[in-house]
Amino acid sequence: MSTLPAREGYRLWAPSYEAETVVSFLERRAVEALGVPTARRRLLDVGCGTGRRLHDADAATVVGVDVTPEMLAIAPAQLALAAGDVRALPLADASFDVVWCRLVVGHLRELDAAYAELARVCVPGGTVVVTDLAAEAAAAGHRRTFRDASGTVQELEHHVHAAHAHVEAASHAGLALAAHRRAVVDASVEPLYAAAGRLDRFAEQRGLPLVLALAFRRHAR
Ligand SMILES: C[S@@+](CC[C@H](N)C(=O)[O-])C[C@H]1O[C@@H](n2cnc3c(N)ncnc32)[C@H](O)[C@@H]1O
């Protein structure tokens, strides 16, 4: 199967994107387990997609940025959204207390430019949260796929970044690792495998780390 560039893939996935998947379910749990508070903070979600993680954010202000207009078009009108690339954010330096970048950087071949931008827009002492498909999942054959409107399975271009590659790129950008979690396939996601008609894969993948979640602190000046 040939892979689609992210921008094209998410254009096609946008109409059905909000249906929770095994990856998105485990990702949410992993981010919650990091325990990074957003209440009364200025929160930025880079690669926010449809803004689904911002719907119930308890932050003082929330801003979402994404490169795919069709994803942003689905977000609720009251969200503050901007089109932009994680490697060149249209935002001022040090303007957010918490910066999320969830399930985005796996679509990039190189991490450094993304981490440099995530760090730049975060205040010194603030937190950057990044999630990615775990390298173990990719090694076990897991791919970023979805069904388009015609029911065809499509695969998105995706690059494997080991945890140490994230930590190194973050460190170049002035970010220090503060916490990390790996979300593993367990009984909580069995119903999602069942709904997709893939209980065979559940048996194979049980115990496999699927999502890596990292929290970094930006060095105080
Ligand atoms: C898997 S979705 C995640 C959406 C959202 N973070 C969530 O967890 O629901 C990945 C998103 O990253 C966006 N994206 C991909 N490459 C990007 C880039 N270079 N800059 C900004 N956004 C990008 C896509 O358009 C898509 O909306």
Side-chain angles (χ1 to χ4, degrees):
M1 187 191 301
S2 64
T3 60
L4 294 173
R7 169 76 190 71
E8 173 61 4
Y10 285 102
R11 183 182 73 77
L12 296 174
W13 194 355
S16 62
Y17 180 77
E18 294 218 334
E20 207 79 69
T21 65
V22 173
V23 169
S24 68
F25 180 91
L26 290 176
E27 192 268 352
R28 182 177 201 161
R29 203 170 71 192
V31 170
E32 282 167 9
L34 287 173
V36 174
T38 55
R40 296 179 299 284
R41 269 61 164 196
R42 293 165 295 173
L43 171 65
L44 170 66
D45 188 2
V46 180
C48 63
T50 60
R52 66 176 168 184
R53 299 305 183 219
L54 295 171
H55 291 177
D56 46 5
D58 52 0
T61 60
V62 294
V63 173
V65 172
D66 201 281
V67 81
T68 308
E70 291 83 358
M71 292 288 275
L72 292 174
I74 287 168
Q78 71 272 17
L79 283 179
L81 300 170
D85 192 296
V86 60
R87 294 161 294 188
L89 291 170
L91 297 163
D93 293 359
S95 42
F96 295 91
D97 305 300
V98 178
V99 179
W100 288 343
C101 188
R102 302 173 62 170
L103 297 174
V104 177
V105 296
H107 296 306
L108 307 176
R109 195 175 294 279
E110 303 287 343
L111 293 175
D112 279 358
Y115 272 102
E117 280 295 88
L118 296 171
R120 180 183 67 76
V121 298
C122 183
V123 287
T127 305
V128 173
V129 170
V130 174
T131 65
D132 197 3
L133 191 68
E136 295 90 334
H142 199 97
R143 300 287 177 264
R144 298 294 281 140
T145 58
F146 66 97
R147 270 183 207 280
D148 67 18
S150 71
T152 306
V153 176
Q154 302 278 4
E155 182 176 339
L156 287 159
E157 179 181 349
H158 199 270
H159 302 276
V160 182
H161 303 294
H164 69 82
H166 281 277
V167 173
E168 224 173 275
S171 161
H172 295 156
L175 298 169
L177 185 65
H180 60 100
R181 294 284 183 277
R182 270 187 175 74
V184 167
V185 174
D186 63 13
S188 67
V189 287
E190 187 173 358
L192 289 167
Y193 281 89
R198 297 312 309 264
L199 278 174
D200 54 332
R201 297 214 81 193
F202 174 67
E204 275 166 37
Q205 295 187 347
R206 200 173 185 147
L208 180 71
L210 212 58
V211 176
L212 174 68
L214 304 158
F216 299 97
R217 180 66 46 87
R218 182 175 172 190
H219 297 307
R221 274 197 265 262

mmCIF file of all heavy atoms in Angstrom, residues 6-7 10-11 13 17-18 20 23-24 27 45-53 65-69 71-72 84-89 100-105 107-108 131 144 156, ligand 1:
data_model
loop_
_atom_site.group_PDB
_atom_site.id
_atom_site.type_symbol
_atom_site.label_atom_id
_atom_site.label_comp_id
_atom_site.label_asym_id
_atom_site.label_seq_id
_atom_site.Cartn_x
_atom_site.Cartn_y
_atom_site.Cartn_z
ATOM 1 N N ALA A 6 0.803 13.520 5.032
ATOM 2 C CA ALA A 6 -0.129 13.830 6.128
ATOM 3 C C ALA A 6 -1.236 14.790 5.698
ATOM 4 O O ALA A 6 -2.414 14.554 5.968
ATOM 5 C CB ALA A 6 0.646 14.407 7.308
ATOM 6 N N ARG A 7 -0.853 15.842 5.007
ATOM 7 C CA ARG A 7 -1.835 16.875 4.640
ATOM 8 C C ARG A 7 -2.986 16.267 3.804
ATOM 9 O O ARG A 7 -4.147 16.565 4.017
ATOM 10 C CB ARG A 7 -1.051 17.963 3.898
ATOM 11 C CG ARG A 7 -1.794 19.017 3.196
ATOM 12 C CD ARG A 7 -2.362 20.054 4.152
ATOM 13 N NE ARG A 7 -3.274 20.914 3.413
ATOM 14 C CZ ARG A 7 -4.464 20.527 2.974
ATOM 15 N NH1 ARG A 7 -4.904 19.310 3.188
ATOM 16 N NH2 ARG A 7 -5.226 21.376 2.329
ATOM 17 N N TYR A 10 -5.051 13.582 6.057
ATOM 18 C CA TYR A 10 -6.006 14.152 7.021
ATOM 19 C C TYR A 10 -7.149 14.884 6.313
ATOM 20 O O TYR A 10 -8.238 15.011 6.870
ATOM 21 C CB TYR A 10 -5.290 15.031 8.052
ATOM 22 C CG TYR A 10 -4.559 14.154 9.055
ATOM 23 C CD1 TYR A 10 -3.191 13.969 8.979
ATOM 24 C CD2 TYR A 10 -5.260 13.452 10.027
ATOM 25 C CE1 TYR A 10 -2.529 13.126 9.860
ATOM 26 C CE2 TYR A 10 -4.614 12.604 10.910
ATOM 27 C CZ TYR A 10 -3.245 12.446 10.829
ATOM 28 O OH TYR A 10 -2.614 11.598 11.701
ATOM 29 N N ARG A 11 -6.915 15.338 5.085
ATOM 30 C CA ARG A 11 -8.031 15.914 4.314
ATOM 31 C C ARG A 11 -9.108 14.844 4.122
ATOM 32 O O ARG A 11 -10.295 15.104 4.295
ATOM 33 C CB ARG A 11 -7.515 16.421 2.958
ATOM 34 C CG ARG A 11 -8.576 17.098 2.110
ATOM 35 C CD ARG A 11 -8.030 17.541 0.757
ATOM 36 N NE ARG A 11 -7.804 16.422 -0.154
ATOM 37 C CZ ARG A 11 -8.753 15.786 -0.831
ATOM 38 N NH1 ARG A 11 -10.020 16.147 -0.692
ATOM 39 N NH2 ARG A 11 -8.462 14.778 -1.644
ATOM 40 N N TRP A 13 -9.399 11.990 5.933
ATOM 41 C CA TRP A 13 -9.813 11.399 7.221
ATOM 42 C C TRP A 13 -10.732 12.360 7.994
ATOM 43 O O TRP A 13 -11.545 11.935 8.827
ATOM 44 C CB TRP A 13 -8.564 11.062 8.047
ATOM 45 C CG TRP A 13 -8.798 10.149 9.228
ATOM 46 C CD1 TRP A 13 -9.988 9.674 9.700
ATOM 47 C CD2 TRP A 13 -7.779 9.606 10.093
ATOM 48 N NE1 TRP A 13 -9.774 8.863 10.803
ATOM 49 C CE2 TRP A 13 -8.422 8.806 11.063
ATOM 50 C CE3 TRP A 13 -6.390 9.729 10.142
ATOM 51 C CZ2 TRP A 13 -7.723 8.146 12.074
ATOM 52 C CZ3 TRP A 13 -5.692 9.061 11.147
ATOM 53 C CH2 TRP A 13 -6.355 8.263 12.102
ATOM 54 N N TYR A 17 -12.783 11.620 11.489
ATOM 55 C CA TYR A 17 -11.626 11.571 12.387
ATOM 56 C C TYR A 17 -12.006 11.448 13.868
ATOM 57 O O TYR A 17 -11.286 10.822 14.648
ATOM 58 C CB TYR A 17 -10.737 12.811 12.183
ATOM 59 C CG TYR A 17 -9.551 12.760 13.100
ATOM 60 C CD1 TYR A 17 -8.477 11.927 12.813
ATOM 61 C CD2 TYR A 17 -9.536 13.475 14.297
ATOM 62 C CE1 TYR A 17 -7.415 11.808 13.687
ATOM 63 C CE2 TYR A 17 -8.476 13.364 15.171
ATOM 64 C CZ TYR A 17 -7.418 12.537 14.857
ATOM 65 O OH TYR A 17 -6.369 12.411 15.733
ATOM 66 N N GLU A 18 -13.141 12.043 14.259
ATOM 67 C CA GLU A 18 -13.427 12.112 15.698
ATOM 68 C C GLU A 18 -13.827 10.776 16.315
ATOM 69 O O GLU A 18 -13.904 10.671 17.544
ATOM 70 C CB GLU A 18 -14.467 13.196 15.981
ATOM 71 C CG GLU A 18 -13.906 14.566 15.657
ATOM 72 C CD GLU A 18 -14.319 15.655 16.617
ATOM 73 O OE1 GLU A 18 -15.376 15.530 17.232
ATOM 74 O OE2 GLU A 18 -13.568 16.635 16.732
ATOM 75 N N GLU A 20 -13.254 7.604 18.085
ATOM 76 C CA GLU A 20 -12.082 7.187 18.885
ATOM 77 C C GLU A 20 -11.505 5.870 18.336
ATOM 78 O O GLU A 20 -12.246 4.972 17.948
ATOM 79 C CB GLU A 20 -12.530 7.007 20.331
ATOM 80 C CG GLU A 20 -11.443 7.205 21.364
ATOM 81 C CD GLU A 20 -11.123 8.672 21.678
ATOM 82 O OE1 GLU A 20 -11.967 9.353 22.291
ATOM 83 O OE2 GLU A 20 -10.029 9.121 21.311
ATOM 84 N N VAL A 23 -5.473 3.843 19.159
ATOM 85 C CA VAL A 23 -4.344 4.762 19.385
ATOM 86 C C VAL A 23 -4.823 6.018 20.102
ATOM 87 O O VAL A 23 -4.219 6.457 21.094
ATOM 88 C CB VAL A 23 -3.645 5.108 18.047
ATOM 89 C CG1 VAL A 23 -2.653 6.255 18.229
ATOM 90 C CG2 VAL A 23 -2.927 3.877 17.496
ATOM 91 N N SER A 24 -5.926 6.602 19.640
ATOM 92 C CA SER A 24 -6.356 7.866 20.258
ATOM 93 C C SER A 24 -6.829 7.649 21.699
ATOM 94 O O SER A 24 -6.593 8.477 22.579
ATOM 95 C CB SER A 24 -7.431 8.549 19.417
ATOM 96 O OG SER A 24 -8.627 7.814 19.421
ATOM 97 N N GLU A 27 -3.726 7.160 23.763
ATOM 98 C CA GLU A 27 -2.977 8.422 23.814
ATOM 99 C C GLU A 27 -3.569 9.352 24.867
ATOM 100 O O GLU A 27 -2.863 9.982 25.646
ATOM 101 C CB GLU A 27 -3.020 9.074 22.418
ATOM 102 C CG GLU A 27 -2.067 10.222 22.263
ATOM 103 C CD GLU A 27 -2.637 11.587 22.578
ATOM 104 O OE1 GLU A 27 -3.860 11.706 22.798
ATOM 105 O OE2 GLU A 27 -1.871 12.542 22.633
ATOM 106 N N ASP A 45 -2.472 23.921 21.448
ATOM 107 C CA ASP A 45 -2.507 22.553 20.921
ATOM 108 C C ASP A 45 -2.037 22.605 19.461
ATOM 109 O O ASP A 45 -2.763 23.074 18.589
ATOM 110 C CB ASP A 45 -3.932 21.996 21.024
ATOM 111 C CG ASP A 45 -4.008 20.508 20.683
ATOM 112 O OD1 ASP A 45 -2.947 19.901 20.409
ATOM 113 O OD2 ASP A 45 -5.129 19.967 20.705
ATOM 114 N N VAL A 46 -0.818 22.132 19.229
ATOM 115 C CA VAL A 46 -0.229 22.183 17.885
ATOM 116 C C VAL A 46 -0.519 20.862 17.169
ATOM 117 O O VAL A 46 -0.191 19.796 17.684
ATOM 118 C CB VAL A 46 1.294 22.416 17.963
ATOM 119 C CG1 VAL A 46 1.881 22.466 16.554
ATOM 120 C CG2 VAL A 46 1.604 23.690 18.724
ATOM 121 N N GLY A 47 -1.127 20.962 15.989
ATOM 122 C CA GLY A 47 -1.611 19.748 15.321
ATOM 123 C C GLY A 47 -2.886 19.309 16.017
ATOM 124 O O GLY A 47 -3.125 18.138 16.265
ATOM 125 N N CYS A 48 -3.737 20.308 16.298
ATOM 126 C CA CYS A 48 -4.946 20.071 17.109
ATOM 127 C C CYS A 48 -6.007 19.292 16.343
ATOM 128 O O CYS A 48 -6.960 18.788 16.937
ATOM 129 C CB CYS A 48 -5.536 21.396 17.567
ATOM 130 S SG CYS A 48 -6.095 22.426 16.185
ATOM 131 N N GLY A 49 -5.856 19.202 15.000
ATOM 132 C CA GLY A 49 -6.855 18.493 14.203
ATOM 133 C C GLY A 49 -8.208 19.163 14.322
ATOM 134 O O GLY A 49 -8.361 20.367 14.092
ATOM 135 N N THR A 50 -9.205 18.375 14.722
ATOM 136 C CA THR A 50 -10.572 18.894 14.869
ATOM 137 C C THR A 50 -10.759 19.606 16.217
ATOM 138 O O THR A 50 -11.874 19.999 16.539
ATOM 139 C CB THR A 50 -11.571 17.738 14.798
ATOM 140 O OG1 THR A 50 -11.261 16.825 15.866
ATOM 141 C CG2 THR A 50 -11.467 16.997 13.471
ATOM 142 N N GLY A 51 -9.693 19.717 16.992
ATOM 143 C CA GLY A 51 -9.758 20.388 18.289
ATOM 144 C C GLY A 51 -10.411 19.538 19.368
ATOM 145 O O GLY A 51 -10.773 20.032 20.428
ATOM 146 N N ARG A 52 -10.524 18.218 19.118
ATOM 147 C CA ARG A 52 -11.323 17.396 20.048
ATOM 148 C C ARG A 52 -10.746 17.367 21.456
ATOM 149 O O ARG A 52 -11.495 17.208 22.412
ATOM 150 C CB ARG A 52 -11.480 15.973 19.525
ATOM 151 C CG ARG A 52 -10.186 15.185 19.451
ATOM 152 C CD ARG A 52 -10.450 13.774 19.024
ATOM 153 N NE ARG A 52 -9.198 13.121 18.677
ATOM 154 C CZ ARG A 52 -9.119 11.904 18.202
ATOM 155 N NH1 ARG A 52 -10.205 11.211 18.004
ATOM 156 N NH2 ARG A 52 -7.962 11.374 17.909
ATOM 157 N N ARG A 53 -9.442 17.519 21.601
ATOM 158 C CA ARG A 53 -8.864 17.503 22.953
ATOM 159 C C ARG A 53 -9.038 18.842 23.664
ATOM 160 O O ARG A 53 -8.758 18.955 24.854
ATOM 161 C CB ARG A 53 -7.381 17.112 22.907
ATOM 162 C CG ARG A 53 -7.108 15.713 22.328
ATOM 163 C CD ARG A 53 -7.892 14.639 23.056
ATOM 164 N NE ARG A 53 -7.614 13.296 22.574
ATOM 165 C CZ ARG A 53 -8.540 12.348 22.436
ATOM 166 N NH1 ARG A 53 -9.814 12.594 22.711
ATOM 167 N NH2 ARG A 53 -8.203 11.151 22.030
ATOM 168 N N VAL A 65 -3.586 25.002 16.503
ATOM 169 C CA VAL A 65 -2.947 25.241 15.197
ATOM 170 C C VAL A 65 -2.891 23.909 14.473
ATOM 171 O O VAL A 65 -2.590 22.880 15.096
ATOM 172 C CB VAL A 65 -1.505 25.784 15.376
ATOM 173 C CG1 VAL A 65 -0.771 25.847 14.041
ATOM 174 C CG2 VAL A 65 -1.522 27.153 16.039
ATOM 175 N N ASP A 66 -3.160 23.909 13.165
ATOM 176 C CA ASP A 66 -3.050 22.679 12.389
ATOM 177 C C ASP A 66 -2.770 23.034 10.932
ATOM 178 O O ASP A 66 -3.158 24.096 10.457
ATOM 179 C CB ASP A 66 -4.339 21.840 12.487
ATOM 180 C CG ASP A 66 -4.103 20.374 12.133
ATOM 181 O OD1 ASP A 66 -4.029 20.060 10.931
ATOM 182 O OD2 ASP A 66 -3.968 19.543 13.058
ATOM 183 N N VAL A 67 -2.114 22.082 10.260
ATOM 184 C CA VAL A 67 -1.724 22.318 8.872
ATOM 185 C C VAL A 67 -2.842 21.930 7.892
ATOM 186 O O VAL A 67 -2.775 22.298 6.722
ATOM 187 C CB VAL A 67 -0.406 21.553 8.589
ATOM 188 C CG1 VAL A 67 -0.663 20.075 8.299
ATOM 189 C CG2 VAL A 67 0.411 22.186 7.501
ATOM 190 N N THR A 68 -3.871 21.221 8.373
ATOM 191 C CA THR A 68 -4.914 20.723 7.468
ATOM 192 C C THR A 68 -6.217 21.504 7.658
ATOM 193 O O THR A 68 -6.922 21.313 8.664
ATOM 194 C CB THR A 68 -5.186 19.218 7.731
ATOM 195 O OG1 THR A 68 -3.954 18.521 7.699
ATOM 196 C CG2 THR A 68 -6.132 18.630 6.687
ATOM 197 N N PRO A 69 -6.575 22.382 6.727
ATOM 198 C CA PRO A 69 -7.789 23.203 6.899
ATOM 199 C C PRO A 69 -9.051 22.366 7.079
ATOM 200 O O PRO A 69 -9.954 22.763 7.817
ATOM 201 C CB PRO A 69 -7.869 24.014 5.602
ATOM 202 C CG PRO A 69 -6.547 23.894 4.949
ATOM 203 C CD PRO A 69 -5.865 22.671 5.474
ATOM 204 N N MET A 71 -9.410 19.630 8.691
ATOM 205 C CA MET A 71 -9.523 19.216 10.097
ATOM 206 C C MET A 71 -10.015 20.407 10.927
ATOM 207 O O MET A 71 -10.954 20.284 11.728
ATOM 208 C CB MET A 71 -8.170 18.722 10.621
ATOM 209 C CG MET A 71 -7.684 17.424 9.993
ATOM 210 S SD MET A 71 -8.611 15.966 10.520
ATOM 211 C CE MET A 71 -7.774 15.538 12.047
ATOM 212 N N LEU A 72 -9.419 21.573 10.715
ATOM 213 C CA LEU A 72 -9.814 22.764 11.490
ATOM 214 C C LEU A 72 -11.283 23.119 11.226
ATOM 215 O O LEU A 72 -11.974 23.607 12.132
ATOM 216 C CB LEU A 72 -8.923 23.949 11.103
ATOM 217 C CG LEU A 72 -7.454 23.841 11.525
ATOM 218 C CD1 LEU A 72 -6.650 25.011 10.947
ATOM 219 C CD2 LEU A 72 -7.312 23.818 13.056
ATOM 220 N N GLY A 84 -1.310 26.438 10.378
ATOM 221 C CA GLY A 84 0.139 26.598 10.511
ATOM 222 C C GLY A 84 0.827 25.267 10.653
ATOM 223 O O GLY A 84 0.198 24.251 10.964
ATOM 224 N N ASP A 85 2.129 25.314 10.422
ATOM 225 C CA ASP A 85 2.977 24.128 10.499
ATOM 226 C C ASP A 85 3.745 24.165 11.811
ATOM 227 O O ASP A 85 4.224 25.223 12.225
ATOM 228 C CB ASP A 85 3.956 24.140 9.307
ATOM 229 C CG ASP A 85 4.667 22.814 9.138
ATOM 230 O OD1 ASP A 85 5.432 22.420 10.047
ATOM 231 O OD2 ASP A 85 4.463 22.171 8.102
ATOM 232 N N VAL A 86 3.863 23.005 12.443
ATOM 233 C CA VAL A 86 4.582 22.934 13.715
ATOM 234 C C VAL A 86 6.022 23.425 13.575
ATOM 235 O O VAL A 86 6.619 23.895 14.545
ATOM 236 C CB VAL A 86 4.524 21.493 14.296
ATOM 237 C CG1 VAL A 86 5.157 20.477 13.346
ATOM 238 C CG2 VAL A 86 5.203 21.403 15.661
ATOM 239 N N ARG A 87 6.568 23.389 12.362
ATOM 240 C CA ARG A 87 7.962 23.808 12.184
ATOM 241 C C ARG A 87 8.092 25.303 11.937
ATOM 242 O O ARG A 87 9.213 25.811 11.820
ATOM 243 C CB ARG A 87 8.590 23.015 11.025
ATOM 244 C CG ARG A 87 8.700 21.535 11.340
ATOM 245 C CD ARG A 87 8.867 20.705 10.100
ATOM 246 N NE ARG A 87 7.681 20.760 9.266
ATOM 247 C CZ ARG A 87 7.471 20.013 8.182
ATOM 248 N NH1 ARG A 87 8.388 19.158 7.806
ATOM 249 N NH2 ARG A 87 6.359 20.128 7.486
ATOM 250 N N ALA A 88 6.986 26.022 11.875
ATOM 251 C CA ALA A 88 7.011 27.478 11.653
ATOM 252 C C ALA A 88 5.711 28.033 12.222
ATOM 253 O O ALA A 88 4.806 28.416 11.471
ATOM 254 C CB ALA A 88 7.144 27.793 10.171
ATOM 255 N N LEU A 89 5.607 28.090 13.529
ATOM 256 C CA LEU A 89 4.328 28.466 14.148
ATOM 257 C C LEU A 89 4.069 29.968 14.024
ATOM 258 O O LEU A 89 4.977 30.771 14.279
ATOM 259 C CB LEU A 89 4.335 28.044 15.629
ATOM 260 C CG LEU A 89 4.301 26.539 15.856
ATOM 261 C CD1 LEU A 89 4.554 26.209 17.337
ATOM 262 C CD2 LEU A 89 2.969 25.943 15.396
ATOM 263 N N TRP A 100 0.817 21.508 23.813
ATOM 264 C CA TRP A 100 0.607 20.100 23.431
ATOM 265 C C TRP A 100 0.977 19.921 21.961
ATOM 266 O O TRP A 100 0.691 20.804 21.134
ATOM 267 C CB TRP A 100 -0.862 19.714 23.524
ATOM 268 C CG TRP A 100 -1.470 19.570 24.866
ATOM 269 C CD1 TRP A 100 -0.863 19.428 26.076
ATOM 270 C CD2 TRP A 100 -2.896 19.519 25.131
ATOM 271 N NE1 TRP A 100 -1.800 19.299 27.072
ATOM 272 C CE2 TRP A 100 -3.052 19.352 26.507
ATOM 273 C CE3 TRP A 100 -4.021 19.601 24.327
ATOM 274 C CZ2 TRP A 100 -4.306 19.268 27.115
ATOM 275 C CZ3 TRP A 100 -5.272 19.517 24.914
ATOM 276 C CH2 TRP A 100 -5.406 19.345 26.297
ATOM 277 N N CYS A 101 1.512 18.758 21.645
ATOM 278 C CA CYS A 101 1.710 18.381 20.245
ATOM 279 C C CYS A 101 1.474 16.869 20.196
ATOM 280 O O CYS A 101 2.377 16.074 20.415
ATOM 281 C CB CYS A 101 3.111 18.761 19.782
ATOM 282 S SG CYS A 101 3.314 18.535 18.003
ATOM 283 N N ARG A 102 0.224 16.499 19.911
ATOM 284 C CA ARG A 102 -0.237 15.123 20.166
ATOM 285 C C ARG A 102 -0.461 14.358 18.868
ATOM 286 O O ARG A 102 -1.296 14.750 18.052
ATOM 287 C CB ARG A 102 -1.511 15.201 21.017
ATOM 288 C CG ARG A 102 -1.222 15.951 22.332
ATOM 289 C CD ARG A 102 -2.446 16.228 23.175
ATOM 290 N NE ARG A 102 -3.111 15.026 23.627
ATOM 291 C CZ ARG A 102 -4.094 15.003 24.525
ATOM 292 N NH1 ARG A 102 -4.497 16.157 25.077
ATOM 293 N NH2 ARG A 102 -4.660 13.873 24.868
ATOM 294 N N LEU A 103 0.328 13.305 18.698
ATOM 295 C CA LEU A 103 0.232 12.423 17.514
ATOM 296 C C LEU A 103 0.485 13.182 16.216
ATOM 297 O O LEU A 103 -0.171 12.946 15.212
ATOM 298 C CB LEU A 103 -1.136 11.723 17.471
ATOM 299 C CG LEU A 103 -1.436 10.781 18.635
ATOM 300 C CD1 LEU A 103 -2.865 10.255 18.562
ATOM 301 C CD2 LEU A 103 -0.447 9.610 18.685
ATOM 302 N N VAL A 104 1.446 14.083 16.246
ATOM 303 C CA VAL A 104 1.750 14.919 15.079
ATOM 304 C C VAL A 104 3.160 14.646 14.541
ATOM 305 O O VAL A 104 3.347 14.439 13.335
ATOM 306 C CB VAL A 104 1.617 16.417 15.444
ATOM 307 C CG1 VAL A 104 1.991 17.302 14.267
ATOM 308 C CG2 VAL A 104 0.222 16.729 15.950
ATOM 309 N N VAL A 105 4.157 14.645 15.429
ATOM 310 C CA VAL A 105 5.553 14.670 14.930
ATOM 311 C C VAL A 105 5.966 13.362 14.256
ATOM 312 O O VAL A 105 6.971 13.335 13.548
ATOM 313 C CB VAL A 105 6.566 15.063 16.041
ATOM 314 C CG1 VAL A 105 6.314 16.478 16.509
ATOM 315 C CG2 VAL A 105 6.556 14.080 17.189
ATOM 316 N N HIS A 107 4.622 12.336 11.798
ATOM 317 C CA HIS A 107 4.456 12.615 10.368
ATOM 318 C C HIS A 107 5.656 13.369 9.794
ATOM 319 O O HIS A 107 5.675 13.676 8.607
ATOM 320 C CB HIS A 107 3.170 13.407 10.123
ATOM 321 C CG HIS A 107 1.937 12.623 10.486
ATOM 322 N ND1 HIS A 107 1.678 11.374 9.974
ATOM 323 C CD2 HIS A 107 0.917 12.894 11.336
ATOM 324 C CE1 HIS A 107 0.548 10.910 10.482
ATOM 325 N NE2 HIS A 107 0.076 11.808 11.313
ATOM 326 N N LEU A 108 6.621 13.699 10.662
ATOM 327 C CA LEU A 108 7.801 14.452 10.206
ATOM 328 C C LEU A 108 9.010 13.538 10.174
ATOM 329 O O LEU A 108 9.222 12.746 11.101
ATOM 330 C CB LEU A 108 8.092 15.616 11.161
ATOM 331 C CG LEU A 108 6.936 16.571 11.449
ATOM 332 C CD1 LEU A 108 7.367 17.600 12.474
ATOM 333 C CD2 LEU A 108 6.487 17.243 10.154
ATOM 334 N N THR A 131 3.267 13.550 22.057
ATOM 335 C CA THR A 131 2.964 12.111 21.979
ATOM 336 C C THR A 131 3.260 11.614 20.571
ATOM 337 O O THR A 131 3.263 12.374 19.603
ATOM 338 C CB THR A 131 1.503 11.797 22.353
ATOM 339 O OG1 THR A 131 0.635 12.393 21.390
ATOM 340 C CG2 THR A 131 1.152 12.289 23.738
ATOM 341 N N ARG A 144 -0.130 3.766 10.723
ATOM 342 C CA ARG A 144 -1.180 4.783 10.895
ATOM 343 C C ARG A 144 -2.134 4.681 9.704
ATOM 344 O O ARG A 144 -1.841 5.171 8.618
ATOM 345 C CB ARG A 144 -0.557 6.188 10.973
ATOM 346 C CG ARG A 144 0.362 6.379 12.148
ATOM 347 C CD ARG A 144 -0.375 6.324 13.481
ATOM 348 N NE ARG A 144 -1.059 7.572 13.759
ATOM 349 C CZ ARG A 144 -2.266 7.655 14.306
ATOM 350 N NH1 ARG A 144 -2.936 6.568 14.633
ATOM 351 N NH2 ARG A 144 -2.817 8.828 14.549
ATOM 352 N N LEU A 156 -1.116 6.511 6.209
ATOM 353 C CA LEU A 156 -0.464 7.819 6.251
ATOM 354 C C LEU A 156 1.047 7.657 6.335
ATOM 355 O O LEU A 156 1.549 6.741 6.998
ATOM 356 C CB LEU A 156 -0.902 8.564 7.519
ATOM 357 C CG LEU A 156 -2.319 9.103 7.525
ATOM 358 C CD1 LEU A 156 -2.788 9.326 8.947
ATOM 359 C CD2 LEU A 156 -2.344 10.414 6.754
HETATM 360 C C1 LIG B 1 -3.401 12.171 14.490
HETATM 361 S S1 LIG B 1 -3.969 13.793 14.193
HETATM 362 C C2 LIG B 1 -3.965 14.406 15.879
HETATM 363 C C3 LIG B 1 -4.964 15.497 16.103
HETATM 364 C C4 LIG B 1 -5.080 15.896 17.577
HETATM 365 N N1 LIG B 1 -3.782 16.270 18.119
HETATM 366 C C5 LIG B 1 -5.690 14.761 18.375
HETATM 367 O O1 LIG B 1 -4.971 14.149 19.185
HETATM 368 O O2 LIG B 1 -6.876 14.499 18.184
HETATM 369 C C6 LIG B 1 -2.539 14.598 13.536
HETATM 370 C C7 LIG B 1 -2.790 16.043 13.158
HETATM 371 O O3 LIG B 1 -1.518 16.641 12.877
HETATM 372 C C8 LIG B 1 -1.675 17.534 11.804
HETATM 373 N N2 LIG B 1 -0.361 17.745 11.201
HETATM 374 C C9 LIG B 1 0.369 16.866 10.469
HETATM 375 N N3 LIG B 1 1.533 17.423 10.125
HETATM 376 C C10 LIG B 1 1.551 18.674 10.658
HETATM 377 C C11 LIG B 1 2.483 19.738 10.655
HETATM 378 N N4 LIG B 1 3.652 19.642 10.015
HETATM 379 N N5 LIG B 1 2.182 20.863 11.319
HETATM 380 C C12 LIG B 1 0.981 20.991 11.971
HETATM 381 N N6 LIG B 1 0.050 20.017 11.999
HETATM 382 C C13 LIG B 1 0.332 18.877 11.356
HETATM 383 C C14 LIG B 1 -2.673 16.848 10.893
HETATM 384 O O4 LIG B 1 -3.297 17.754 10.018
HETATM 385 C C15 LIG B 1 -3.639 16.228 11.914
HETATM 386 O O5 LIG B 1 -4.700 17.087 12.191
#
